[in-house]
Every structure is written in C-alpha cells, then in structure tokens.
C-alpha cells in the first residue's frame, strides 16, 4: 500500500521521465469490471457460492467462498493462472472491487488463502461435484434470458501436457507426450456444457456417458430439436443407442473398413477425362450393420478426388439424420468449431496448465479454467456489439480486460479513470447497456 513512498526510477533516454509504482492506485485490468457486471446481471457467482460447503473456522473465514471463487475465476480470465499471482493481485484495485466484500476496503485473498481454497476446500468430494456442475448451471442462467431454439452438442477430447511425477499422468502414444487427457462437451455457441479430467493414457471416448448424460438430463424437459456430433473415437453402438433413446439426431465419424469400401466401390474409380483443378466430390448413402450393432443404420460416404493425388480421400459418417448426404456431411464438418473452442481455451485462459501434484487438485483447476472460459464466451456471444463480436477471447483479454486505469477513492465512491485506447468510451457504454438488458425483472411485492 506504501508504494508511493518509494523512490522513483529513471531512464537514460529522457532524464525528465520518472517511473513511479502505485500498486494500490493503478490497475492494468480495469476491463474485468465489465465481466463482473455480467456476472452480477446473471447472478452466476452469487448463486454458485451457496452450493459449496464451508467448513472453515477462525481467521480462515476472512473471505467468503463466493469472494474466493470470484478471485479464482477472474484472475484466470485476466491471464493469471497460478495462485502465486494472488500476492500481487491482493492489492490490485480492480481485483479488490471484483472480489467484493472485505476485499473492497482491505485486500483480496493472499497466495496461501487461495491455495487452501483450491486444494483443500474445493477438492472435498461434494464441493468438487458441485464445482463440476457449475458450468451447466451458468449456461442455464444465460438461457433463462436468451432461450435457444435448438441444441447441438459436440464432444471431443484434448491434451494437457504434464511435467514431473504428477498423479494420473501417463504417456499417450497418439499425442506423443506425457499428459492428462480431458474430455469436453460443447454446445453450438462454444460454451463448455461439461468437462472431465482423465488420466493420460485412456481412450478418447472413455467416460463419455459420465460427461454426456448430465448434459442430456438438463435439456430433457425442453421441447427443442437436439443434435450430437463427434469424431470416430465415439463410433460406439452404446453411444448410438443412448442418443436414439433420448431422441437425439447424430452424425458421428465412422472408421473405414473393407465392407464400407465395397459399398462405394463405383465411386473409388478415378473419374474419366482430364483432372479438374477443383476437387471432384461425390456422395453416397446406404444401410450398414456392424457385428456389434443391434440393427442397421444409415451411413453417408464422401469421396474426394484431388488433382495430383493417386487415391481419393474417403470419409464415412453414421447418422440417423434424414437430410441429404451432402447436408449430413456439411452438418458434421461444423463440429470443427469444438476444436477451435479447445484451442481458444488453451490460448486464452491456458486451461492446459494443470501443474499440481494431486489429481483432485488438477480436477479443480480444470473446472475453474472452464468457468473463466465460459464467462468470457458469454460476454462475447450475447453482449458484444456485432462490430466486435468476431474478437477472440485472447483479443478480448488484450484489448478489453487489459485497460489501464487510475483509481481515485472518496468517502462514498471509487472512481476508475480509464485509459481510452483499444476500447472507446462509447463501446464500453454500449457493452454495459447490453449487460443491463440481461437482468431479470425485480419481483414486485404482492
């Protein structure tokens, strides 16, 4: 707090410059206030804190669980993925206002307090289970304001490289590294509906039902069309039967085999004539039943002949969609957005940084990263004006969150004097107005 009393630093190229450090009065993350406003409008962290068990006593209760949860999520959203950063963030004016409560007038939680919260409180079995549910609960809060007309689920696995003797880490031959192998389920807006950390050497589809079933259960009462897409790792008759029983339409990549190749044999003959500069694309569909399937299902094939290539590129999709073969392929190809979301999660909130020794601690870290990612994605998809909606989460962090501000404190109010560089006052005002529209009407007493 006494940084202003320290001697100023100087630079040689201009002796008239003085560099002073005022950690308690200057912030580089003033844009986090926008995300805190969105959090308040949707009642996300406020509702979340009530789901967690608080067994702390004495001085350990200086900050509420809601305050600690906010600090964990918002610090990750701003790019501070380690609890070690909490020592400096504790006096940061933006973080203190975002956390609220005692932090507003004093300090936010220290490194040791955050460490105990994430590795002792949140790792309790019930708290970890509730923390895992929060991503879905947050999405429900958003969809109460903006209902969806259809649901499209994309499931995919990812890789989180590990270093050292971390619990549950193992070598994965597909990724060619020692890692964890988390599984994600996204909706069509890029929100993480559910995520689960897994050991590094498990199959890509392991625990698919533990991830997918809670998501399906949440939407079961909604009368909207529901769809599912996944790659060949999930080409499993148990997946098909589960989706069919739940009324989902699906498109899942199917590994090629001799029987499938024989079904499209006429398409595997090179077209007659001079090769076209553009690929020649052919489609087909037919009924197919593998030995492990309980009945025949529709399979769509796509064959591409490219100039200069000796053999065609062939892909198969098993589906219960009634669309044309070309439309089924187009629908399946849109699952690439899930891979893009995983890439954004890695780059923007660094959710691959799972550096704790205990597996349960890393489970907690993954869920906190997912919540930070979802909050950032909420703002992008429902709040940002159309002119800047194309911004990635990384761009939002660099341009919106990383706004410098000088903080002036008065008896009854705190003023953030914001820098106006990448984000103008007009854009900031528009964002706040759009957030305000998301608030539910206050009930009028009877």
């Amino acid at each position: 707090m006494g940084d202003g009393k320290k001697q100023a630093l100087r630079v040689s190229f201009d002796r008239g410059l003085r560099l002073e450090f005022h950690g308690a009065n200057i912030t580089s993350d003033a844009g986090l206030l926008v995300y805190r406003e969105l959090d308040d409008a949707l009642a996300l962290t406020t509702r979340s804190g009530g789901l967690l068990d608080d067994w702390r006593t004495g001085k350990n209760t200086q900050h509420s669980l809601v305050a600690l949860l906010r600090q964990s999520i918002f610090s990750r959203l701003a790019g501070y993925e380690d609890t070690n950063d909490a020592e400096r963030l504790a006096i940061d004016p933006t973080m203190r206002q975002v956390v609220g409560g005692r932090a507003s007038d004093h300090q936010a939680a220290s490194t040791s307090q955050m460490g105990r919260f994430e590795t002792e409180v949140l790792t309790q079995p019930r708290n970890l289970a509730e923390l895992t549910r929060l991503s879905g609960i947050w999405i429900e809060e958003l969809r109460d304001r903006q209902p969806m007309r259809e649901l499209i689920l994309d499931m995919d696995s990812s890789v989180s490289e590990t270093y050292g003797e971390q619990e549950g880490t193992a070598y994965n031959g597909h990724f060619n590294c020692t890692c964890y192998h988390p599984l994600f389920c996204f909706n069509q807006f890029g929100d993480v509906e559910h995520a689960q950390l897994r050991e590094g050497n498990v199959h890509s589809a392991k625990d698919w039902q533990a991830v997918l079933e809670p998501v399906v259960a949440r939407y079961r009462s909604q009368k909207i069309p529901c769809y599912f897409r996944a790659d060949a790792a999930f080409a499993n008759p148990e997946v098909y039967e589960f989706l069919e029983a739940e009324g989902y339409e699906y498109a899942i990549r199917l590994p090629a085999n001799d029987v499938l190749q024989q079904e499209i044999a006429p398409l595997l003959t090179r077209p007659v004539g001079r090769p076209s500069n553009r690929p020649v694309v052919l489609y087909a569909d037919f009924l197919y039943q593998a030995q492990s399937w309980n009945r025949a299902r529709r399979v769509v094939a796509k064959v591409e002949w490219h100039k200069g290539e000796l053999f065609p590129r062939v892909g198969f999709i098993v589906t219960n969609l009634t669309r044309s073969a070309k439309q089924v392929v187009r629908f399946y190809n849109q699952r690439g957005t899930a891979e893009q979301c995983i890439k954004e999660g890695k780059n923007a909130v660094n959710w691959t940084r799972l550096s704790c020794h205990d597996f349960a601690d890393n489970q907690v870290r993954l869920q906190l990263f997912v919540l930070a990612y979802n909050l950032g994605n909420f703002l992008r998809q429902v709040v940002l004006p159309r002119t800047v909606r194309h911004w990635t989460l990384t761009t939002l962090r660099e341009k919106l969150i990383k706004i410098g501000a000088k903080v002036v404190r008065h008896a009854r109010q705190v003023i953030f004097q914001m820098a106006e560089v990448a984000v103008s006052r007009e854009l900031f005002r528009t964002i706040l107005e759009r957030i305000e529209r998301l608030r539910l009407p206050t009930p009028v007493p009877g």
Side-chain angles (χ1 to χ4, degrees), residues 211-328:
V211 173
L212 183 59
E213 196 164 29
V215 180
V216 171
R218 282 194 287 106
Y219 290 100
R220 194 171 283 146
S221 62
Q222 298 191 26
K223 306 302 181 182
I224 56 175
C226 297
Y227 305 91
F228 178 84
R229 297 181 296 219
D231 63 18
F234 300 88
N236 184 323
E238 294 180 358
V239 177
Y240 313 150
E241 292 167 14
F242 174 81
L243 294 170
E244 290 161 358
E246 294 290 345
Y248 276 64
E249 295 185 276
Y250 58 84
I252 301 174
R253 186 71 177 260
L254 192 63
N257 59 46
D258 292 340
V259 177
L260 294 174
Q261 297 275 3
Q262 187 176 356
E263 290 284 349
I264 60 168
L267 304 183
L268 301 181
T269 302
R270 179 179 294 277
V272 178
R274 185 174 181 178
S276 170
N277 289 326
R278 299 181 62 181
V280 176
V281 183
L282 306 171
Y283 299 92
D285 64 334
F286 51 90
L287 289 179
Y288 167 76
Q289 181 174 0
Q291 289 185 351
S292 59
W293 298 6
N294 60 356
R295 64 178 182 84
R297 291 180 172 88
R298 183 189 182 202
V299 172
V300 170
K302 179 184 178 182
V303 179
E304 292 183 75
W305 287 96
H306 288 256
K307 183 178 180 180
E309 296 184 5
L310 185 60
F311 299 103
R313 304 177 188 178
V314 182
F316 297 97
I317 299 171
V318 58
T319 183
N320 61 350
L321 290 165
T322 57
R323 307 176 187 182
S324 69
K326 184 176 181 179
Q327 289 175 327
V328 170

Side-chain angles (χ1 to χ4, degrees), residues 244-408:
E244 290 161 358
E246 294 290 345
Y248 276 64
E249 295 185 276
Y250 58 84
I252 301 174
R253 186 71 177 260
L254 192 63
N257 59 46
D258 292 340
V259 177
L260 294 174
Q261 297 275 3
Q262 187 176 356
E263 290 284 349
I264 60 168
L267 304 183
L268 301 181
T269 302
R270 179 179 294 277
V272 178
R274 185 174 181 178
S276 170
N277 289 326
R278 299 181 62 181
V280 176
V281 183
L282 306 171
Y283 299 92
D285 64 334
F286 51 90
L287 289 179
Y288 167 76
Q289 181 174 0
Q291 289 185 351
S292 59
W293 298 6
N294 60 356
R295 64 178 182 84
R297 291 180 172 88
R298 183 189 182 202
V299 172
V300 170
K302 179 184 178 182
V303 179
E304 292 183 75
W305 287 96
H306 288 256
K307 183 178 180 180
E309 296 184 5
L310 185 60
F311 299 103
R313 304 177 188 178
V314 182
F316 297 97
I317 299 171
V318 58
T319 183
N320 61 350
L321 290 165
T322 57
R323 307 176 187 182
S324 69
K326 184 176 181 179
Q327 289 175 327
V328 170
V329 172
R330 183 179 300 166
F331 172 75
Y332 173 81
N333 287 341
Q334 291 171 354
R335 68 169 297 276
T337 56
E339 298 173 357
Q340 184 63 31
C341 292
I342 290 176
K343 183 178 179 181
E344 274 208 306
K346 291 179 178 180
N347 294 337
V349 297
N350 203 10
W351 66 23
T352 57
R353 189 173 177 82
L354 307 176
S355 53
C356 294
H357 173 270
D358 292 352
F359 188 77
D361 295 349
N362 286 318
Q363 283 182 301
V364 167
R365 287 177 64 87
L366 178 63
Q367 299 304 327
L368 292 172
F369 280 123
V370 164
L371 293 175
Y373 166 87
N374 274 356
L375 181 58
N377 197 49
F378 289 173
L379 185 123
R380 177 174 58 180
Q381 64 172 288
V382 301
V383 173
L384 288 187
R386 189 174 301 275
T387 54
V388 295
R389 200 170 295 169
H390 64 279
W391 284 4
T392 65
L393 296 186
T394 302
T395 302
L396 282 170
R397 185 183 66 205
E398 295 173 350
K399 292 187 176 183
L400 179 58
I401 293 178
K402 298 298 181 182
I403 295 179
K406 178 182 178 181
V407 182
V408 180

Side-chain angles (χ1 to χ4, degrees), residues 143-155:
R143 293 305 154 199
D144 282 346
R145 279 82 168 174
Q146 291 196 351
M148 60 174 65
R149 298 178 180 178
E150 63 178 7
L151 172 67
I152 303 176
L153 298 178
D154 292 300
M155 182 168 283

